[in-house]
Amino acid sequence: MNVFFYDKSFEGLLSAVFDAYARKKFPDLLLEKGDVPPLLVEYSHEVVTCPEKTERVWSGLRKKLPKLVLTQLTYAWLSETAGSDEVIFRYIRKAFDKPHCIATDFNDEDVLSLKKLTQKVSKEVQYLAMFIRFQRMADGIYFAPVAPVYNVLPLATGHLVDRFSDQRWIVYDEGRKYGYYYNQKTVMEMALDDESSLQNGRLREDLMAGDEKLFQDLWKRYFKTLTIKERMNRKLQRQHMPQRYWKYITEKQ
Amino acid sequence: MEKDVLKKIEVLTASAKYDISCASSGTTRKSQPGKLGSTSGWGICHSFTEDGRCVSLLKIMLTNYCIFDCAYCINRKSNDIPRTALTPQELIDLTMEFYRRNYIEGLFISSGIMRNPDYTMERMLKVVKDLRTVHRFNGYIHMKSIPGASRELVQEAGLYADRLSVNIEIPTEQNLKLLAPDKSYESIYRPMGYIQQGVLESAEERRKYRSAPRFAPAGQSTQMIVGATSENDQTILGLSAALYQRQGMKRVYYSGYIPINNDRRLPVVKEAPLVRENRLYQADWLMRFYQFGVNEIVDEQHPNLDLDIDPKLSWALRHPEAFPVDVNTADYAQILRIPGIGVKSAQLIVASRKYSRLTAQSLAKIGVVMKRAQYFITCHELPMYTIHEATPGYLRELLSEKRTDALPQQLYFPFSQSVVV
Ligand code: SF4
């Protein structure tokens, strides 16, 4: 069995592709540096991540694949699910080796896997766009805590900048402990040094702007009244709006 | 904002909630400097109520006072319900503040009729105009046009609203007259015509000057109540098909009749006809995305949709001669007609069969519902147990949905930042 060790970064993964072609040895297993190798390793290689290798592989892919697929590769990476790096690796390899463009060959295991991974991640991006709830802080910044399953914050900021371009806002991933701050011009990565400002997915009340509570109440009242009793269907509600989000959804708090 | 708005919002939402056309779809508009908001293709749902419906817009009435007396409507003059009105400024503030918190995609404004149609339109117009011009609101606006409104006001509304709608409500004029004596088809079709004309003129203008203003870029929609009157599905779908012929008619909504008022002219029903409503949406869907003609879905022999099976399966069972279809060679339109294969899987089939022959296994992986599709396809290694061997009658038994499975799934779409093939 061939094993490659790398630093579990996307750049590292592309460097691993480069090394594999340079050595004509392809990994059966991708491990993080420091992981315990399995028994019966035939060939083992430690990848050094380096920008030139990354760049070479990426520009090679750019020639072989439509832009959409390049995006899909990054989406699959941000899924952070076990084995997704191996799918990406095999996909890239097929893209380089096959004479035709593999992008729509859904009969292929890895092409289909990549598509499915991408779908899961973009679903999560959509959930963010749907269910993020901003709360206005006393200083006028709109604050939204979230906890997505996949690491999708970087994929969601584009939409938020577009939509809320004339207000200052923060989205914050409570699980991964980082977020983005937008100051009406640019987006910056940030972290909270003091998470006590958050309580159960909500801003502490003393940090809220004066009328924030009223607008939350108005919205809740609106939401409650909207239900048509004759059509009750809570199962359908949960299907469309997964319960794991409710903690952050004003009207479900 | 005063506290009494809490009470107002409750009264005016209760009055507006039965209008089900809430989609915020049909137009993509990027953000513009100094303005708040954007619109995105298919529209985004921001929440789901306990009845499972998508909440996309702030759907509310400016007032629920009304001088008309439509039998099916909660706000009719003769009903004894709490009445109130929002000031235009209150509604503007609610829209802006809700939008900034990502509660909504925009506003869906409707109103009961105060004094006369034009007076009402003017009040509504004030809200949308101020939102756009004073508050630089760039999100979605759907405005319900009042039956009988004048051309000038409809035309002005189209400059600010993304979508305009006039509800037909009752599928034949005779029954409309019976239930809504203050309305006529003429008072409904006239503003519809103004909207259509506005859409056409603006398209023409914009061909000449790129900068000409857009008129209701998301087109118009309408709604019909189903089950309050005796029309069959053939009449309803026939009307929809005719409406879709009109320039800019984007959606027809079907609203299963919920008995709100006691009225001798209305049928006594225990519950809303939700399954029928769902079948109508499916049929509507077939007309818009599956290249079905209305006469293929319902005809003189089959004037009503089958409640136990969906209209696509129903068509297939009535047309065994069209099957089996060979998924490896048939054209896209034929593949679309196979029960168990949706638009997405049909596209995937056509895309991937270029590289290798599709097998039953690969079809299942692509997302084809083989439980249904197997009787209608061939792909070289499948056993030949098709609709001909199984017979349509047996398949109908086998593939019927239990009524609870057939409950409506309100159609909604994720926004179109689709990275998915
Ligand atoms: S005009 Fe509209 S609000 Fe008034 S009663 Fe008729 S349907 Fe209801």
Side-chain angles (χ1 to χ4, degrees):
Chain A
M1 180 184 276
N2 297 343
V3 182
F4 276 29
F5 293 88
Y6 76 115
D7 59 5
K8 287 277 165 181
S9 69
F10 192 63
E11 292 78 7
L13 183 62
L14 295 181
S15 298
V17 173
F18 184 91
D19 286 5
Y21 276 94
R23 282 149 212 270
K24 302 204 170 50
K25 290 272 188 204
F26 294 91
D28 303 297
L29 196 61
L30 288 168
L31 290 177
E32 183 166 4
K33 287 180 186 165
D35 280 353
V36 185
L39 301 171
L40 300 173
V41 173
E42 222 171 87
Y43 177 87
S44 150
H45 167 63
E46 188 145 324
V47 177
V48 181
T49 303
C50 112
E52 285 85 62
K53 294 185 204 169
T54 310
E55 181 51 43
R56 283 273 297 278
V57 173
W58 197 246
S59 59
L61 282 174
R62 240 189 244 131
K63 286 188 208 108
K64 286 291 261 189
L65 292 168
K67 215 168 138 215
L68 187 74
V69 179
L70 298 182
T71 315
Q72 287 184 334
L73 291 173
T74 57
Y75 269 53
W77 174 260
L78 287 171
S79 77
E80 298 177 340
T81 48
S84 53
D85 53 351
E86 285 165 10
V87 171
I88 297 172
F89 194 102
R90 286 194 301 269
Y91 189 103
I92 294 180
R93 202 179 155 196
K94 283 177 187 163
F96 282 136
D97 293 352
K98 296 230 170 157
H100 61 265
C101 170
I102 61 168
T104 55
D105 186 358
F106 298 105
N107 240 340
D108 182 290
E109 199 82 35
D110 291 317
V111 177
L112 198 63
S113 297
L114 184 78
K115 183 181 160 62
K116 289 198 168 146
L117 269 176
T118 314
Q119 273 170 342
K120 280 191 203 151
V121 174
S122 35
K123 184 87 216 171
E124 197 70 8
V125 179
Q126 287 165 21
Y127 278 149
L128 228 52
M130 293 160 80
F131 301 135
I132 268 188
R133 294 291 181 267
F134 285 113
Q135 301 169 65
R136 196 182 149 112
M137 301 199 287
D139 59 5
I141 295 177
Y142 289 80
F143 186 89
V146 285
V149 201
Y150 309 120
N151 188 12
V152 289
L153 239 49
L155 304 175
T157 49
H159 168 72
L160 296 175
V161 168
D162 192 47
R163 175 149 296 196
F164 303 105
S165 57
D166 82 330
Q167 68 195 47
R168 289 178 298 152
W169 50 256
I170 294 171
V171 277
Y172 191 73
D173 185 333
E174 263 205 290
R176 295 178 182 80
K177 305 219 174 298
Y178 82 104
Y180 291 101
Y181 168 61
Y182 173 74
N183 63 0
Q184 292 175 291
K185 279 193 210 73
T186 48
V187 181
M188 290 162 262
E189 197 173 317
M190 53 81 76
L192 288 182
D193 5 293
D194 175 19
E195 289 203 354
S196 72
S197 45
L198 287 175
Q199 272 168 359
N200 297 324
R202 261 171 293 179
L203 211 54
R204 233 175 42 217
E205 227 166 281
D206 58 297
L207 298 175
M208 288 181 189
D211 53 5
E212 175 59 26
K213 201 86 188 58
L214 175 62
F215 283 112
Q216 291 190 14
D217 288 343
L218 283 164
W219 172 245
K220 285 182 186 172
R221 187 75 66 99
Y222 171 73
F223 178 76
K224 209 171 145 218
T225 319
L226 208 56
T227 300
I228 297 180
K229 298 254 160 15
E230 292 86 343
R231 305 180 66 124
M232 272 306 200
N233 193 343
R234 288 211 177 84
K235 199 174 136 213
L236 192 58
Q237 180 191 34
R238 278 196 304 273
Q239 201 176 311
H240 287 316
M241 185 161 71
Q243 240 157 334
R244 61 190 157 89
Y245 276 92
W246 290 14
K247 180 178 167 195
Y248 299 100
I249 297 180
T250 312
E251 63 274 24
K252 296 305 293 178
Q253 279 163 352
Chain B
M1 179 116 357
E2 301 294 322
K3 273 251 157 40
D4 73 327
V5 176
L6 263 173
K7 188 68 206 159
K8 287 190 186 180
I9 213 175
E10 188 173 331
V11 169
L12 294 170
T13 304
S15 283
K17 68 181 176 186
Y18 295 102
D19 197 313
I20 52 175
S21 44
C22 85
S24 55
S25 58
T27 177
T28 300
R29 190 171 50 237
K30 284 276 175 195
S31 108
Q32 288 161 23
K35 293 189 180 177
L36 171 68
S38 59
T39 62
S40 53
W42 283 112
I44 300 174
C45 294
H46 286 279
S47 194
F48 292 86
T49 48
E50 290 191 339
D51 53 32
R53 291 181 310 148
C54 156
V55 182
S56 182
L57 303 172
L58 169 60
K59 179 167 59 180
I60 198 164
M61 298 188 101
L62 194 52
T63 177
N64 65 343
Y65 288 104
C66 190
I67 56 168
F68 281 10
D69 203 37
C70 310
Y72 45 79
C73 177
I74 184 170
N75 305 311
R76 62 175 179 174
K77 181 174 66 183
S78 54
N79 272 7
D80 179 22
I81 55 164
R83 309 268 175 181
T84 185
L86 284 165
T87 66
Q89 193 56 47
E90 282 168 339
L91 186 47
I92 287 167
D93 289 345
L94 282 174
T95 308
M96 294 295 286
E97 295 293 336
F98 282 5
Y99 195 90
R100 288 195 180 284
R101 287 164 178 75
N102 203 38
Y103 298 163
I104 52 170
E105 285 295 285
L107 174 66
F108 177 178
I109 179 174
S110 61
S111 179
I113 301 176
M114 300 169 265
R115 292 189 214 174
N116 59 56
D118 274 354
Y119 176 81
T120 312
M121 276 293 274
E122 272 165 21
R123 303 268 303 180
M124 293 164 86
L125 200 53
K126 164 110 181 103
V127 174
V128 289
K129 186 174 177 178
D130 279 6
L131 266 173
R132 289 284 194 235
T133 54
V134 181
H135 299 270
R136 316 200 33 91
F137 177 69
N138 196 36
Y140 196 90
I141 297 180
H142 178 160
M143 176 168 159
K144 212 157 126 183
S145 173
I146 303 293
S150 70
R151 179 192 294 267
E152 292 68 36
L153 293 175
V154 174
Q155 242 153 17
E156 199 178 351
L159 297 179
Y160 306 112
D162 288 290
R163 171 166 287 178
L164 294 170
S165 62
V166 196
N167 285 354
I168 290 187
E169 305 292 20
I170 304 297
T172 56
E173 169 143 47
Q174 185 194 355
N175 282 333
L176 180 77
K177 287 254 70 139
L178 182 71
L179 296 182
D182 308 294
K183 289 183 185 166
S184 65
Y185 261 27
E186 138 114 280
S187 71
I188 292 166
Y189 278 109
R190 226 196 257 152
M192 264 189 186
Y194 299 152
I195 300 170
Q196 187 180 355
Q197 205 181 346
V199 170
L200 278 173
E201 279 171 9
S202 141
E204 187 60 42
E205 286 285 298
R206 283 171 62 81
R207 220 164 290 137
K208 285 185 235 149
Y209 320 99
R210 282 308 298 155
S211 59
R214 303 190 66 176
F215 184 95
Q220 62 174 321
S221 66
T222 188
Q223 169 179 298
M224 283 186 251
I225 301 174
V226 175
T229 42
S230 58
E231 291 86 1
N232 62 23
D233 294 340
Q234 193 186 8
T235 308
I236 294 172
L237 290 170
L239 180 55
S240 302
L243 286 166
Y244 283 131
Q245 296 296 313
R246 290 170 161 245
Q247 191 79 22
M249 178 56 76
K250 289 290 161 56
R251 283 297 299 273
V252 177
Y253 290 89
Y254 309 90
S255 169
Y257 169 65
I258 298 169
I260 302 165
N261 303 326
N262 266 328
D263 192 303
R264 274 188 301 108
R265 292 165 291 174
L266 289 169
V268 180
V269 291
K270 276 213 290 297
E271 49 194 45
L274 296 184
V275 176
R276 181 178 179 204
E277 178 191 290
N278 187 37
R279 294 288 179 237
L280 283 166
Y281 276 115
Q282 289 172 327
D284 188 275
W285 203 246
L286 291 184
M287 295 197 286
R288 289 187 300 137
F289 300 112
Y290 285 75
Q291 310 172 11
F292 274 80
V294 62
N295 297 327
E296 294 180 288
I297 302 170
V298 278
D299 55 31
E300 294 302 328
Q301 279 81 52
H302 308 92
N304 285 306
L305 297 169
D306 192 329
L307 294 182
D308 293 325
I309 53 175
D310 68 77
K312 188 171 149 188
L313 179 59
S314 177
W315 179 86
L317 296 181
R318 292 200 307 272
H319 294 275
E321 75 283 357
F323 301 100
V325 170
D326 186 342
V327 288
N328 279 300
T329 57
D331 61 26
Y332 178 70
Q334 275 175 297
I335 290 178
L336 263 188
R337 297 218 163 193
I338 303 169
I341 295 184
V343 171
K344 261 195 194 157
S345 6
Q347 286 169 349
L348 288 184
I349 287 172
V350 177
S352 39
R353 69 185 181 187
K354 281 185 277 192
Y355 307 105
S356 50
R357 281 174 74 87
L358 298 170
T359 63
Q361 211 190 1
S362 49
L363 287 177
K365 275 198 198 150
I366 277 174
V368 172
V369 186
M370 287 303 280
K371 190 175 148 251
R372 296 159 81 77
Q374 56 178 315
Y375 306 103
F376 303 94
I377 58 174
T378 53
C379 64
H380 58 307
E381 30 76 296
L382 261 194
M384 289 298 284
Y385 189 67
T386 67
I387 182 168
H388 300 289
E389 289 77 32
T391 75
Y394 173 70
L395 286 185
R396 189 176 185 289
E397 272 307 295
L398 190 71
L399 300 176
S400 283
E401 293 158 49
K402 280 180 256 98
R403 287 293 170 89
T404 47
D405 297 342
L407 277 181
Q409 297 259 341
Q410 196 196 14
L411 300 163
Y412 84 100
F413 306 92
F415 61 103
S416 62
Q417 61 95 239
S418 138
V419 289
V420 181
V421 188

